[in-house]
Amino acid sequence: QKDCKATAQSFVTTDLNGDKVTNALDYAILLNNYGRRGNLKEDIDQDGSVNAPDMSKMIEELGQKSE
């Protein structure tokens, strides 16, 4: 079972449009910024680039809602 605290944090990172659910709208935002570098909210893993690991995390979180 997931730790509730960790789950709440994941919504902060993958719910890019702030509608309290990680969905296709958030994925579209990520795709529109793919390849960009810098301190961006779309850089989910904060490695300095919006790339494949960010997409993987987004896919893992698709459909999850925040409370």
Side-chain angles (χ1 to χ4, degrees):
Q1 188 173 13
K2 287 185 178 182
D3 179 280
C4 292
K5 198 173 199 177
T7 301
Q9 176 62 31
S10 69
F11 292 115
V12 171
T13 60
T14 60
D15 178 19
L16 299 177
N17 66 351
D19 66 354
K20 299 189 189 273
V21 64
T22 300
N23 56 27
L25 298 174
D26 302 299
Y27 194 69
I29 293 169
L30 185 108
L31 287 176
N32 285 333
N33 289 281
Y34 193 86
R36 290 185 61 200
R37 298 184 59 77
N39 187 15
L40 305 167
K41 69 178 179 179
E42 296 85 3
D43 181 16
I44 296 167
D45 64 2
Q46 296 297 298
D47 68 350
S49 179
V50 180
N51 53 21
D54 302 308
M55 290 179 69
S56 293
K57 182 63 176 171
M58 177 69 69
I59 290 167
E60 288 176 21
E61 301 289 330
L62 281 175
Q64 293 192 22
K65 298 178 182 177
S66 60
E67 296 178 12

